[in-house]
Amino acid sequence: MATNPSWILRSHPSAMPTTENWALEDRPVPEASDGELLVKTLWLSVDPYMRGRISPAKNYAAGFKLGDLMLGGGVGEVISSGSSDFSPGQIVMSDYFGWQPFTVVPASSAKLVATTDAPMQAALSYLGMPGLTAYFSLLKTARPKQGETVLISAASGAVGQIAGQIARIKGLDPVAVAGTDEKLEWCKALGYRAGVNHRTSADLVADVTAACPNGVDVFIDNTAGPIHDAAMLNLNAFGRVVVVGTIALADRFDQPDIGVRHLRRTLITRARIEGFLLDDHASEYETALAD
Amino acid sequence: MATNPSWILRSHPSAMPTTENWALEDRPVPEASDGELLVKTLWLSVDPYMRGRISPAKNYAAGFKLGDLMLGGGVGEVISSGSSDFSPGQIVMSDYFGWQPFTVVPASSAKLVATTDAPMQAALSYLGMPGLTAYFSLLKTARPKQGETVLISAASGAVGQIAGQIARIKGLDPVAVAGTDEKLEWCKALGYRAGVNHRTSADLVADVTAACPNGVDVFIDNTAGPIHDAAMLNLNAFGRVVVVGTIALADRFDQPDIGVRHLRRTLITRARIEGFLLDDHASEYETALAD
């Protein structure tokens, strides 16, 4: 029996997850039945949405139970195939890779990964979920107009780094919020015009004002938290806020988020604040990847 | 000199306004110059937006300064006219009536009031600003679909009583939130299916759940405050919240509204939360009144 060391959820974290929340267990290499693929894991993606899946709280993605194998997006090589659509040696992407060397995934969840145009792991980043999230949240949900200022939090993250580049390509004025000066420098190299370091800022509202002298027209909110306040207080009339993530709340995931509520500001600016989940846009992935 | 007792703003209220915030001063009856009308006040409207105008805080409507004559929506008779569009004896509506018996208003602000189809004061309620607010906030901003549940706060108020009737006429399922059982009974007589008394409720979230067994698809929020929480926690996927008013915050107008922030819930439900001001829809008033 070949070993297949596998990460198993042992406890639900109550604040920030630690390695104590998982156990590494040796499991047998599984076999693919009809409609399944046995894949060898080459790349795994650890994404913010997983924080919700390891919480017992109700969420948009079904949660893991204690003792469950951790699953997530991955890219791997087909070792054996129970589907006429795939054959051994092909590289595929699926959202159901186990955190283990050898996994069985449903063939229906797998997509062939082209390895000629980009590194295969791009299927987990700019050609995959984060890239599509950036594309649809910015262009479809926020509906920016030419020249508008787009503030993006977690700007150097998987979604933000793509959103800033899309904003630049589409003739918008992207401004980054990130947690180190190095990240901000990198953001500028990618196309962001300006940036705000939310960790060293003494006055986040004023720093966003300085970085966005024409105000904020669109805010791609990957974080919630104090950056959300700074964006709301700089929001122009008819501003749009797309709530893509709430990673600033990761250490208090099971507690309500207490803070300033911007309902009057929402009224006064006639802002539109909209929650975003990528799955809602699945029918348009191909159009987006072609754009 | 005929007397013209006039209400003058004496101080900016810091919480709920009191009569101490105004002084009654005798002023001369003014005269209409070119482009103006001298009107005799018949009806004045006291509306929630005025709370913002008597605050020194930045707001969507320009604020009054201390010593200013209070102005607001009114209906009155033209006494003398400096405009070829109006003649003495006509009944007009304007948003610039002083709180005084005789006022000069800009002729450009005046609209002739038809007194045949409805009482003239309807120009300040269902045929005026509150009626148009109900119409556009519900039908245009929230964009409800047939059969959807529409929760409306301040349901017996100027906007809410109209919004509930429009919802009923348009095949929606309106549910009222109001502060007394008498108001709720009246709401039901107007067409609301069910109601929640937010003052006597021991558990507003549960009571909204009971009144909206299929969840809340649209929330017309005239109040903010705890009713907003109860609506957000009952909001269905792709729910829409229109922030029309924040009257629950009237006693802490100059302080930030501290409470639960529903950003994660906004994300999970993919809610759309949008601020509403009637002025943005001015070009469509005639279409709305005809509907």
Side-chain angles (χ1 to χ4, degrees):
Chain A
M1 185 187 85
T3 60
N4 194 24
S6 304
W7 288 103
I8 310 298
L9 187 66
R10 187 157 65 177
S11 56
H12 293 299
S14 62
M16 292 295 278
T18 70
T19 52
E20 296 300 303
N21 298 124
W22 288 271
L24 190 60
E25 286 183 10
D26 200 13
R27 297 211 164 176
V29 173
E31 288 181 21
S33 304
D34 264 12
E36 294 181 336
L37 310 175
L38 174 64
V39 290
K40 182 182 171 190
T41 304
L42 298 172
W43 297 90
L44 287 174
S45 188
V46 180
D47 296 301
Y49 77 87
M50 291 173 157
R51 182 61 187 82
R53 299 194 70 188
I54 57 174
S55 160
K58 192 181 167 187
N59 210 314
Y60 57 88
F64 294 111
K65 290 188 286 296
L66 302 186
D68 279 356
L69 172 68
M70 278 298 295
L71 299 176
V75 165
E77 178 187 344
V78 178
I79 302 298
S80 68
S81 170
S83 159
S84 57
D85 295 337
F86 297 94
S87 32
Q90 288 183 326
I91 302 297
V92 295
M93 184 273 163
S94 163
D95 289 329
Y96 296 91
F97 270 71
W99 286 11
Q100 55 185 180
F102 294 96
T103 300
V104 159
V105 301
S108 60
S109 77
K111 271 179 265 186
L112 209 57
V113 172
T115 54
T116 46
D117 298 338
M120 65 174 80
Q121 63 270 34
L124 300 173
S125 60
Y126 56 89
L127 293 179
M129 185 266 281
L132 290 166
T133 296
Y135 183 92
F136 287 109
S137 65
L138 176 61
L139 298 184
K140 197 172 160 202
T141 303
R143 300 194 287 276
K145 301 179 197 73
Q146 195 76 10
E148 282 191 330
T149 298
V150 179
L151 185 71
I152 300 173
S153 61
S156 66
V159 170
Q161 61 178 277
I162 309 300
Q165 294 179 69
I166 294 173
R168 173 60 62 204
I169 290 166
K170 297 290 183 183
L172 306 166
D173 175 38
V175 176
V177 181
T180 71
D181 289 342
E182 291 70 25
K183 288 178 179 177
L184 290 173
E185 282 310 307
W186 185 60
C187 285
K188 287 180 195 168
L190 293 176
Y192 278 96
R193 173 181 54 78
V196 173
N197 184 330
H198 69 88
R199 287 194 200 279
T200 58
S201 170
D203 184 341
L204 208 44
V205 176
D207 287 351
V208 169
T209 306
C212 305
N214 299 319
V216 172
D217 298 301
V218 167
F219 174 42
I220 302 295
D221 188 357
N222 291 309
T223 56
I227 302 166
H228 182 85
D229 292 309
M232 286 300 294
L233 295 174
N234 280 284
L235 200 66
N236 286 335
F238 303 104
R240 286 128 282 156
V241 175
V242 187
V243 183
V244 177
T246 58
I247 205 66
L249 312 180
D251 60 348
R252 41 198 166 119
F253 197 84
D254 302 322
Q255 306 154 43
D257 177 28
I258 303 295
V260 180
R261 307 214 296 194
H262 297 285
L263 293 175
R264 268 201 71 74
R265 179 113 198 117
T266 301
L267 189 165
I268 293 167
T269 58
R270 292 86 101 192
R272 174 163 59 84
I273 299 156
E274 202 159 341
F276 178 89
L277 285 184
L278 181 60
D279 288 353
D280 301 329
H281 304 267
S283 64
E284 295 172 73
Y285 287 173
E286 296 309 318
T287 323
L289 290 170
D291 186 10
Chain B
M1 184 187 87
T3 59
N4 193 25
S6 303
W7 289 102
I8 309 299
L9 187 66
R10 187 157 62 177
S11 56
H12 292 300
S14 63
M16 292 296 278
T18 70
T19 52
E20 296 299 303
N21 298 124
W22 287 272
L24 190 60
E25 285 182 11
D26 200 15
R27 297 212 164 175
V29 173
E31 288 182 23
S33 304
D34 263 12
E36 295 180 335
L37 309 176
L38 173 64
V39 290
K40 181 181 171 190
T41 304
L42 299 173
W43 297 91
L44 287 174
S45 189
V46 180
D47 297 301
Y49 77 88
M50 292 174 155
R51 181 62 188 82
R53 298 195 71 188
I54 56 173
S55 161
K58 192 180 166 187
N59 209 316
Y60 58 89
F64 295 110
K65 291 187 284 296
L66 300 187
D68 279 355
L69 171 67
M70 276 299 294
L71 300 175
V75 166
E77 180 186 342
V78 177
I79 302 298
S80 67
S81 171
S83 160
S84 57
D85 295 337
F86 297 95
S87 33
Q90 286 184 329
I91 303 297
V92 295
M93 185 273 163
S94 163
D95 289 329
Y96 296 91
F97 270 72
W99 286 11
Q100 56 184 180
F102 294 96
T103 300
V104 159
V105 301
S108 60
S109 77
K111 269 179 265 184
L112 208 58
V113 172
T115 53
T116 46
D117 297 339
M120 65 175 80
Q121 63 270 34
L124 300 174
S125 59
Y126 55 90
L127 294 179
M129 184 268 280
L132 291 167
T133 296
Y135 183 91
F136 287 109
S137 65
L138 175 61
L139 298 184
K140 197 172 161 205
T141 305
R143 300 194 287 278
K145 300 179 198 73
Q146 194 75 11
E148 282 191 330
T149 297
V150 180
L151 186 71
I152 300 173
S153 62
S156 66
V159 170
Q161 62 178 278
I162 310 299
Q165 294 179 67
I166 293 173
R168 173 60 62 203
I169 290 165
K170 297 291 184 184
L172 306 167
D173 175 38
V175 175
V177 181
T180 71
D181 289 342
E182 290 70 25
K183 288 178 179 177
L184 290 173
E185 281 311 307
W186 186 59
C187 285
K188 286 182 195 168
L190 293 176
Y192 278 96
R193 174 181 54 77
V196 173
N197 184 328
H198 68 89
R199 287 195 200 280
T200 59
S201 171
D203 184 342
L204 208 45
V205 177
D207 286 351
V208 170
T209 307
C212 305
N214 300 318
V216 172
D217 298 302
V218 167
F219 175 41
I220 302 296
D221 188 357
N222 291 307
T223 56
I227 301 167
H228 183 84
D229 292 309
M232 286 301 293
L233 296 174
N234 279 284
L235 200 65
N236 287 334
F238 303 104
R240 284 129 283 156
V241 174
V242 187
V243 183
V244 177
T246 58
I247 205 65
L249 312 179
D251 60 347
R252 41 198 166 117
F253 197 85
D254 301 322
Q255 306 153 44
D257 177 27
I258 303 294
V260 181
R261 307 214 296 193
H262 296 286
L263 293 175
R264 268 201 72 73
R265 178 115 199 115
T266 300
L267 189 165
I268 293 168
T269 59
R270 293 87 102 193
R272 174 163 59 84
I273 299 157
E274 202 159 341
F276 178 90
L277 284 184
L278 182 60
D279 288 353
D280 300 329
H281 304 268
S283 64
E284 294 172 72
Y285 287 174
E286 295 309 318
T287 323
L289 290 169
D291 185 10

